[in-house]
Structures are given as C-alpha cells and as structure tokens.
Amino acid sequence: MHLFWAFAQFRKCLGSPCFASFEGSCRRRWKMLNAAAADRNKEPILDVLRSRLASDRPLVGLEISSGTGQHVVHFAKAFPSITWQPSEIESQSISSIEAYREHHKLQNVKPPMYLDVSQSWENWTGLQPESCDLIVNINMMHISPLACTTGLFNGVGKILKPQGLLLTYGPYAFNGSITPQSNVDFDHSLRYRNPEWGLRDVSLLKTLGQENGLRLEEIVDMPANNKCLLFHKDSVV
Ligand SMILES: C[S@@+](CC[C@H](N)C(=O)[O-])C[C@H]1O[C@@H](n2cnc3c(N)ncnc32)[C@H](O)[C@@H]1O
C-alpha cells in the first residue's frame, strides 16, 4: 500500500509544473558551457567598456564570436541600457548563449544569431548598415583563419554607426615581434594546431581598420599579456 502511494506521488510529481521547471533548469544548466578564460577576463574587459561608454545611453551592441555567452550576460547586467546582440558560428555555442540568456532572464540580450565573420557583411543576416553603436570581439582573431580578421574589419566598417566603437581583445604581435615568451609559445602552439591561426600584428589591424574607416585610438594593457584595441569609426565608408 505504501509503495503504491509513493509511486502515485512520484508520478504526480513528474507531471507537475514544479518538476517541469526543475527539468528545464537542469537542461539549461547542461547547455551552459564555461570557459575559464572568459570568467577571468570578463571583469577587466568590462572595466574598459565602463570607462569609455556612458552607462545610461540607449545603445545597440553586437558581439561577434560570443563563445559560451558568459561575456554578453556579464556586460548586459552592467549596461542595462545597451541592447546586446550575441552571435556565433558554432551551434553548440549558440545553444550555450541561449541557455545563459534564459537563465539570467535579461531583457536586453537578444537571441543569439548565426554569424560567420569570414563572410561578407551582406550575409550577416538581419544586421543593417550603420545599426550598431558598439561591436565587441574577444579572443577570436588569433584562433581563426585570417579571413575572419579581414571579414571582421570589412563588416564592422559597414555595420558600425559613425563614431561607433569596436573593441577587440586578445594577445597581439607588434611590428613583427611577440612578447613575452609565453605569448611566443602560445603563437607556436596555435600555428602547430592550424597553420592559418596565430597572433595578428597590430600594424596589420591598423591598416585593415584604415581601409574600412576605423581609427585605432587606444591600446589598453590587460592582465596576462593581453590587450584591448579600441577603434572608432571616423566616417561613412
Ligand atoms: C577562443 S573562442 C572565444 C570565444 C569568446 N569570445 C570568448 O572569449 O570566450 C573563439 C571563437 O571564435 C569563433 N569563431 C571561429 N570562426 C568563426 C567565424 N568564421 N565566424 C564567427 N565566429 C567564429 C569560435 O566559434 C569560438 O567561439
């Protein structure tokens, strides 16, 4: 009799809204990927954004290659007046971003969109020319083919509003030289994994920026030998 009662209670519980919500939360947690580097660098990058953006202006922000979604939710909490559009090429990352978005219930983060940055900006579905005030790209350029870097600057030159800001973050080379040794080793390991990967030279990025109406205005030292590069859009290209 007790066993029958327990079984009936268990079945009732399975069908209850409470269980459905518990199950949904477990499924969501399962999809929420975690990158240790993103946990470490999200606050230092946010500090750079805080010091360059007016926190109460309603702005439109696009993140290119959002990865897990950890950055976009962190930035969205700090800047509720910015409407954020995360994007990714990888389906697992898109699921993770969506899971973070649902978990944090943030009204100012749009559903993640598929975006292959190596493609021409006309294929960046739904993004209009001069529609974004801010574009963020973290730790992508060195770990993707050069076509992603050139695509990034071509696309950002179109999508950013005049006076808009592009922030990129990562390790970089300067005039053909990489420092310190840990970044040299990292560059070798990337090129060993894929000959098309490797640290990008800031002089190349400056040139790509100029070709697309983006002026490199500031290089900010970041922890662990990384930098933030801040480009402003000068004019309509
Ligand atoms: C090292 S992860 C960085 C992810 C995230 N920004 C972060 O810092 O945690 C590099 C990211 O670049 C993305 N990526 C690679 N090729 C891409 C492409 N063609 N278009 C858009 N994203 C790309 C990968 O899917 C991956 O999420």
Side-chain angles (χ1 to χ4, degrees):
M1 182 63 185
H2 278 122
L3 203 61
F4 179 75
W5 181 85
F7 182 67
Q9 293 305 310
F10 176 65
R11 285 200 53 188
K12 220 158 80 184
C13 178
L14 280 186
S16 75
C18 168
F19 182 79
S21 122
F22 170 72
E23 191 199 11
S25 144
C26 285
R27 205 176 307 126
R28 201 162 51 230
R29 290 263 181 191
W30 182 250
K31 289 182 182 169
M32 288 165 71
L33 306 174
N34 185 272
D39 260 344
R40 282 195 300 273
N41 63 32
K42 64 186 183 185
E43 192 60 26
I45 299 172
L46 178 60
D47 284 342
V48 176
L49 288 174
R50 271 204 193 100
S51 62
R52 269 83 181 170
L53 295 173
S55 60
D56 51 349
R57 274 184 59 206
L59 301 173
V60 175
L62 167 68
E63 185 180 28
I64 294 177
S65 78
S66 297
T68 59
Q70 286 159 272
H71 287 121
V72 78
V73 298
H74 193 66
F75 301 160
K77 283 181 189 172
F79 287 103
S81 63
I82 301 183
T83 301
W84 292 88
Q85 173 64 71
S87 70
E88 250 298 332
I89 190 171
E90 297 266 348
S91 57
Q92 220 193 353
S93 299
I94 290 179
S95 301
S96 175
I97 301 163
E98 183 55 19
Y100 271 94
R101 200 177 80 90
E102 280 179 18
H103 180 75
H104 290 278
K105 299 185 173 38
L106 291 163
Q107 301 300 316
N108 60 328
V109 181
K110 290 188 170 181
M113 60 179 273
Y114 173 87
L115 191 157
D116 178 354
V117 73
S118 68
Q119 298 295 307
S120 170
W121 68 274
E122 286 99 335
N123 298 321
W124 297 7
T125 317
L127 292 173
Q128 301 302 316
E130 295 187 5
S131 57
C132 294
D133 301 280
L134 164 69
I135 299 182
V136 176
N137 179 244
I138 300 169
N139 270 338
M140 180 207 77
M141 284 192 252
H142 57 281
I143 200 153
S144 57
L146 186 61
C148 291
T149 297
T150 53
L152 175 75
F153 281 91
N154 292 339
V156 169
K158 290 286 179 198
I159 302 294
L160 210 53
K161 291 181 188 173
Q163 311 308 321
L165 172 69
L166 165 67
L167 178 151
T168 74
Y169 169 94
Y172 300 97
F174 287 84
N175 300 318
S177 113
I178 299 176
T179 55
Q181 188 59 40
S182 58
N183 274 2
V184 175
D185 296 343
F186 183 46
D187 182 60
H188 285 159
S189 71
L190 289 167
R191 289 177 196 278
Y192 180 76
R193 278 169 70 189
N194 186 330
E196 288 192 83
W197 294 0
L199 272 59
R200 305 296 168 204
D201 203 298
V202 171
S203 54
L204 168 70
L205 307 183
K206 205 170 163 181
T207 304
L208 287 173
Q210 278 162 358
E211 287 170 3
N212 291 286
L214 303 163
R215 190 164 17 95
L216 176 58
E217 282 193 342
E218 220 180 325
I219 301 175
V220 185
D221 286 332
M222 302 295 285
N225 307 304
N226 290 297
K227 307 274 181 201
C228 271
L229 308 184
L230 302 174
F231 294 84
H232 270 100
K233 182 161 168 181
D234 277 332
S235 55
V236 182
V237 181

